[in-house]
Amino acid sequence: MRFSIYRYNPEADEKPRLQSYDIALEPTDRMLLDALVRIKARDDTLSFRRSCREGVCGSDAMNINGKNGLACVTRIADLKEPVEIRPLPGLPVVRDLIVDMSQFFKQYHSVKPYLVNNEPPPEKERLQSPEDREELDGLYECILCACCSTSCPSFWWNPDKFVGPAGLLQAYRFIADTRDQATNERLDDLEDPYRLFRCHSIMNCVEVCPKGLNPTRAIGKIKDLLVKRTV
Amino acid sequence: MALPVRTFDAVIVGGGGSGMRAALELARADLKVAVLSKVFPTRSHTVAAQGGVAASLGNIDEDNWHWHMYDTIKGSDYLGDQDAIEFMCRKANEVVYELEHFGMPFDRLAGGKIYQRPFGGHMREYGKSPVPRACAAADRTGHALLHTLYQANLKARTQFFVEWMALDLIRAQDGTVLGVTALEMETGEVMVLQAKATVFATGGAGRIFAASTNAFINTGDGLGMAARAGIPLQDLEFWQFHPTGVAGAGVLITEGVRGEGGYLLNKNGERFMERYAPNAKDLASRDVVSRAMATEIKEGRGAGKDGDCILLKLDHLGEEVISKRLPGIREIAKTFANVDPVKDPIPVVPTCHYQMGGIPTNYRGQVVVPANGNPETVVPGFYAAGECACVSVHGANRLGCNSLLDLLVFGKSAGETVIRDLRSEGKSHRSLPGDASDLALSRLARLDGQKSGERVADVGADMRRVMQLHCGVFRFPDLLTEGVRKIKEVAERAGRTEITDKSRTFNTARVEALELDNLVETAVASLVSADARKESRGSHDRADFHQRDDVNWMKHTLWYKQGSRLEYKPVHRKPLTVEPFEPKARVY
């Protein structure tokens, strides 16, 4: 099978290039990550991140035939040859398929993604009804792979000012949590022409999310809450 | 060559569940702490845990820590230390409630309390019938837990060193641990991280097996570093084979499937666990279920076109329960097994999952080694928690959901001990020995200078094949002895590998070669320890010694790298406050 893979080593290369690999796959190689591991066994200079190989750690996000996805849950059989693999778009490339994710995490951190509740905790668990807990479904499952934010044109243009879909999904995860008491502060923080309102509902994020999550819907709910707050 | 040195009160190596729980404890004490992680912390393997965390909250049925303690001791096949097990089971409710207070999105019961489901080996009234003890967030408990701990650490302003790999321990002449050498992967820079307390939370080495539920990063780095620094490794003959890894892919399918009412079938459609464990059936301990499955396959009752797997049926639970309680499993089954479990059973096989052994510690998280006639002398400055540590609460077989509990309880406990030890010590750092970085630098220099040699990938593949063939669910004397010879050969070859990539920037070839050094230490320890243990206990099942032998073998193994030597030390049979649980025949 033929692959065309983005290569760049800042120590050796003046500029990036695409390198072709022809490799014979085994019947057990079902996912793109299996193929990449096989390529690396032959050419150990190819660098990429990977860990859980089951789509839950979020390490191996990359751009596969023009679309962001996780190599470990992308079936080889579904890919058109030559399979063109590039690093996630819009973030600085450290080397080969490894991008510098600092800006992505900075935005995630900026929404204060942790529970704020200043009441002394009870002796046992805080109670939460199953219905209230259900509000967190589709939010807490995010694996921070960055497929969504790096497919978002608004994030490409303003990665320093726009929180991006991943960060906003997590902002809403805490707004939606009945145990959290900082909704107003969270909304204040997002009421900003860039941080929230750069989202123009292009919905690339929804299209690429390997966990089937919907950041656009969460962003819409934050916007609704802001409107409700003013009336 | 003198390396740059950075100093901290404490260095935690590993950003998974136990490392982050320890970090959270230290963050409250106004100490200068560094947490090193090979991957961004939420990518640590804790993230893949599915079914739940065990605690006798009793939210659905009556439950208490005494029953949990009994189950854990019985599950360990009486190799677990009863003081540590009591400590863990008594602390369980507290650490689970804390986690909820941090923001963990547990599933809920109608009244608002944390949802609990039954799990293998967790019973009421000392083994009578299954009790719901697994506190769950759907089938993504590890993911929810790890992200919650990361978020709590963000709030506490913990300092993370992301994508840093620790290379070797630094010890003073008297054995005191003074920190680690570490590699910053992005730049290729090597540094000394000097600390008054060094906490290993590096996880397991499940990648020594060919069929494994474990992530690529689970390479036993802490065990390798400890072994090279003269610390023995404990009970590494005990590896847990999880009954339900997706056949061929190895990906985990939680025991929670059986907790919710799923069960196993052989090719005749027979619910065979009824024959092996008439009371607990599919919710017997993992070693028992894995052996039953392997027996069914061996005796020609395996399913699939090659008769080499077992079927996990859950369609009778209905789409609603599956979508609500087991959504991740449905996704995994579709992706990796091409089946929708709402309609069809999932083909599964026993798959290496968890390392019961590790770096010997006590329940305070201190690393302990034999010295001056005391089998448990504290190594000053050195702590370990989570899967890399052997406390030992899991003994010869771990119960499901006790791993997340272990990392919470002992991550916290190690953090508390570090605080206590640092308060009682002076403020100044001891000076580093002249050879502090020699070991790490010589390993790196060897890789840089090696101009010909075998590929890391080839040696690694041979290691996994040897372990799979010689140290699996069933163990045979000839295979074990031959396995020891073979794995020692592999270990030697690991010292002669060549990487063609000599660059500095994010050199993953170098990282993989360094990881192989750690993997082979664990693999050799496992086979040598397994070959020597002449009995069957928990996950260690020998064809030539079919019974548990409490007279000669109720003791912990200690393997030393130097000379590949074995020692033994007694099991703690006395709990902290209650009467000991005396060993008896283990039936489910």
Side-chain angles (χ1 to χ4, degrees):
Chain A
M1 189 162 187
R2 175 161 290 189
F3 296 84
S4 178
I5 303 181
Y6 178 102
R7 301 299 312 272
Y8 175 65
N9 178 350
E11 292 168 53
D13 305 324
E14 266 181 39
K15 54 181 194 204
R17 63 200 152 83
L18 285 173
Q19 183 170 349
S20 293
Y21 292 94
D22 264 305
I23 55 156
L25 295 176
E26 300 289 323
T28 49
D29 297 333
R30 298 183 56 230
M31 300 297 170
L32 175 59
L33 181 61
D34 300 327
L36 287 174
V37 168
R38 206 165 281 286
I39 292 171
K40 185 163 178 68
R42 208 175 67 183
D43 174 4
D44 69 15
T45 67
L46 175 67
S47 292
F48 52 91
R49 293 186 176 107
R50 83 283 179 271
S51 184
C52 75
R53 60 86 171 87
E54 58 186 62
V56 70
C57 79
S59 297
D60 63 349
M62 49 190 75
N63 188 269
I64 305 154
N65 280 344
K67 189 178 167 187
N68 290 353
L70 300 178
C72 60
V73 291
T74 300
R75 276 175 229 256
I76 295 170
D78 297 342
L79 294 173
K80 204 171 89 267
E81 285 188 68
V83 183
E84 196 172 293
I85 306 173
R86 294 173 178 270
L88 289 175
L91 294 176
V93 174
V94 175
R95 173 176 178 171
D96 298 341
L97 302 174
I98 297 174
V99 291
D100 177 353
M101 297 185 68
S102 313
Q103 194 57 254
F104 172 80
F105 288 125
K106 206 169 158 184
Q107 289 297 0
Y108 169 60
H109 295 162
S110 80
V111 304
K112 300 202 169 113
Y114 42 77
L115 194 81
V116 176
N117 185 318
N118 295 322
E119 280 167 29
E123 205 172 304
K124 295 186 171 181
E125 67 266 62
R126 290 194 176 96
L127 300 180
Q128 184 175 48
S129 73
E131 297 71 34
D132 286 343
R133 165 60 185 77
E134 232 166 69
E135 293 297 315
L136 308 184
D137 285 343
L139 305 173
Y140 82 93
E141 302 93 324
C142 173
I143 58 173
L144 299 176
C145 66
C147 280
C148 60
S149 293
T150 61
S151 70
C152 172
S154 297
F155 190 77
W156 294 339
W157 307 142
N158 293 294
D160 52 337
K161 293 187 199 137
F162 174 49
V163 172
L168 289 170
L169 186 79
Q170 289 318 296
Y172 186 65
R173 176 248 174 275
F174 288 97
I175 290 171
D177 196 323
T178 49
R179 299 170 296 173
D180 188 88
Q181 298 176 326
T183 296
N184 259 322
E185 292 85 338
R186 294 182 191 281
L187 291 176
D188 289 345
D189 170 63
L190 295 173
E191 196 163 26
D192 173 281
Y194 282 95
R195 284 182 64 68
L196 173 71
F197 287 100
R198 279 291 113 174
C199 170
H200 300 306
S201 305
I202 300 168
M203 294 181 71
N204 282 359
C205 53
V206 183
E207 172 101 356
V208 299
C209 177
K211 304 310 284 182
L213 310 179
N214 189 332
T216 307
R217 187 166 58 211
I219 293 167
K221 288 189 173 179
I222 300 175
K223 289 178 179 170
D224 287 349
L225 286 172
L226 281 171
V227 173
K228 265 190 214 149
R229 204 164 67 145
T230 53
V231 288
Chain B
M1 190 178 84
L3 291 175
V5 179
R6 294 185 65 170
T7 56
F8 299 90
D9 291 313
V11 166
I12 299 173
V13 184
S18 59
M20 288 210 284
R21 188 62 192 79
L24 205 51
E25 215 51 42
L26 294 178
R28 298 175 182 174
D30 195 28
L31 295 170
K32 192 176 171 200
V33 181
V35 182
L36 267 64
S37 181
K38 283 201 290 189
V39 293
F40 185 77
T42 63
R43 316 215 189 286
S44 308
H45 193 55
T46 305
V47 80
Q50 296 174 355
V53 46
S56 55
L57 306 183
N59 282 355
I60 294 178
D61 260 350
E62 187 192 346
D63 199 5
N64 64 60
W65 64 261
H66 298 268
W67 298 346
H68 186 187
M69 179 181 173
Y70 169 78
D71 292 340
T72 303
I73 293 167
K74 178 182 173 187
S76 82
D77 217 348
Y78 301 91
L79 192 72
D81 287 337
Q82 299 201 9
D83 54 347
I85 294 174
E86 179 184 335
F87 184 82
M88 178 176 81
C89 296
R90 289 180 69 160
K91 289 269 182 194
N93 293 14
E94 171 191 319
V95 294
V96 167
Y97 290 139
E98 276 173 355
L99 199 59
E100 194 282 325
H101 299 157
F102 297 151
M104 171 94 170
F106 281 112
D107 285 4
R108 300 291 172 151
L109 295 160
K113 290 183 178 178
I114 294 169
Y115 171 76
Q116 296 188 280
R117 61 162 62 107
F119 235 74
H122 291 283
M123 317 283 274
R124 53 177 294 146
E125 295 168 87
Y126 308 105
K128 270 206 183 133
S129 58
V131 68
R133 190 179 285 151
C135 311
D139 54 0
R140 306 186 181 98
T141 313
H143 170 278
L145 180 148
L146 191 67
H147 281 254
T148 301
L149 286 178
Y150 179 70
Q151 292 158 353
N153 271 287
L154 266 187
K155 193 175 179 183
R157 299 179 183 276
T158 297
Q159 189 183 3
F160 288 102
F161 284 64
V162 176
E163 296 182 327
W164 280 63
M165 181 184 185
L167 300 176
D168 274 296
L169 266 184
I170 299 170
R171 295 186 80 181
Q173 199 72 43
D174 67 359
T176 302
V177 169
L178 303 174
V180 290
T181 40
L183 168 76
E184 183 181 26
M185 287 155 67
E186 186 175 330
T187 61
E189 265 193 66
V190 184
M191 217 174 266
V192 168
L193 302 179
Q194 188 180 7
K196 293 178 213 163
T198 302
V199 184
F200 272 12
T202 52
R207 294 301 291 194
I208 62 173
F209 286 90
S212 173
T213 65
N214 279 208
F216 280 100
I217 55 170
N218 290 18
T219 54
D221 297 339
L223 281 75
M225 287 188 276
R228 284 191 294 275
I231 307 276
L233 303 180
Q234 183 175 329
D235 293 344
L236 274 175
E237 60 269 47
F238 299 103
W239 284 90
Q240 177 160 86
F241 296 87
H242 194 290
T244 56
V246 173
V251 176
L252 175 69
I253 299 288
T254 175
E255 194 167 281
V257 169
R258 285 169 283 141
E260 294 288 347
Y263 48 83
L264 297 163
L265 297 174
N266 61 19
K267 76 167 183 191
N268 304 321
E270 183 204 1
R271 196 175 167 185
F272 58 89
M273 277 314 298
E274 291 176 342
R275 275 188 279 121
Y276 296 87
N279 184 29
K281 302 187 181 79
D282 296 82
L283 286 176
S285 246
R286 287 179 178 168
D287 57 334
V288 174
V289 179
S290 282
R291 266 195 296 279
M293 292 168 69
T295 304
E296 290 298 300
I297 293 170
K298 207 172 57 176
E299 293 179 355
R301 294 186 294 278
K305 78 175 176 2
D306 299 319
D308 57 359
C309 67
I310 293 294
L311 299 174
L312 176 61
K313 175 180 155 64
L314 64 158
D315 59 288
H316 56 283
L317 302 180
E319 186 162 1
E320 202 185 317
V321 169
I322 292 173
S323 296
K324 190 162 175 58
R325 300 293 182 206
L326 305 163
I329 286 316
R330 191 176 183 190
E331 194 182 316
I332 285 171
K334 282 179 175 173
T335 308
F336 290 97
N338 282 328
V339 301
D340 184 348
V342 165
K343 299 190 201 97
D344 298 302
I346 310 171
V348 291
V349 286
T351 305
C352 175
H353 182 56
Y354 189 84
Q355 165 193 300
M356 266 77 73
I359 301 165
T361 67
N362 58 27
Y363 65 83
R364 297 181 190 91
Q366 297 164 305
V367 175
V368 290
V369 298
N372 311 320
N374 174 6
E376 298 184 350
T377 305
V378 170
V379 179
F382 195 23
Y383 309 80
E387 191 171 344
C388 75
C390 185
V391 187
S392 144
V393 283
H394 309 305
N397 169 68
R398 173 174 70 76
L399 293 189
C401 295
N402 269 356
S403 58
L404 292 185
L405 177 60
D406 166 348
L407 60 83
L408 290 173
V409 169
F410 295 106
K412 180 177 179 179
S413 176
E416 288 171 342
T417 307
V418 167
I419 293 170
R420 196 197 59 199
D421 289 354
L422 291 187
R423 279 195 186 132
S424 64
E425 266 182 29
K427 284 263 180 266
S428 63
H429 281 269
R430 287 178 53 166
S431 58
L432 292 168
D435 62 355
S437 48
D438 286 8
L439 182 54
L441 289 177
S442 69
R443 288 170 65 216
L444 291 168
R446 202 277 296 166
L447 280 173
D448 283 342
Q450 191 94 22
K451 294 288 187 282
S452 69
E454 283 189 89
R455 289 195 275 220
V456 172
D458 294 340
V459 179
D462 281 350
M463 170 195 67
R464 292 189 292 273
R465 266 194 290 272
V466 171
M467 290 307 294
Q468 196 73 25
L469 184 65
H470 294 267
C471 209
V473 174
F474 292 115
R475 295 172 175 178
F476 304 90
D478 302 353
L479 280 177
L480 284 170
T481 308
E482 196 194 339
V484 168
R485 185 181 57 73
K486 282 189 180 171
I487 204 69
K488 286 183 174 171
E489 271 174 28
V490 170
E492 277 189 29
R493 286 164 57 200
R496 297 193 298 269
T497 52
E498 186 207 0
I499 51 171
T500 59
D501 188 350
K502 314 281 193 202
S503 61
R504 295 170 61 81
T505 311
F506 226 119
N507 185 334
T508 50
R510 178 176 292 138
V511 168
E512 287 180 24
L514 294 166
E515 288 175 334
L516 183 64
D517 290 346
N518 298 325
L519 284 162
V520 295
E521 300 300 353
T522 317
V524 172
S526 301
L527 258 166
V528 170
S529 304
D531 184 40
R533 184 174 283 271
K534 306 285 195 289
E535 66 160 349
S536 290
R537 183 186 294 271
S539 65
H540 178 67
D541 190 277
R542 277 184 79 116
D544 52 342
F545 294 92
H546 219 67
Q547 301 298 319
R548 192 175 78 202
D549 176 357
D550 289 333
V551 176
N552 296 300
W553 287 101
M554 193 192 269
K555 56 187 179 185
H556 295 295
T557 306
L558 294 172
W559 174 86
Y560 289 82
K561 173 180 164 62
Q562 291 69 20
S564 197
R565 179 169 60 86
L566 293 176
E567 276 184 27
Y568 294 90
K569 68 173 184 180
V571 170
H572 297 191
R573 296 170 64 170
K574 198 174 163 346
L576 295 171
T577 65
V578 295
E579 288 298 306
F581 288 95
E582 296 302 330
K584 53 184 185 183
R586 190 162 158 259
V587 284
Y588 281 98

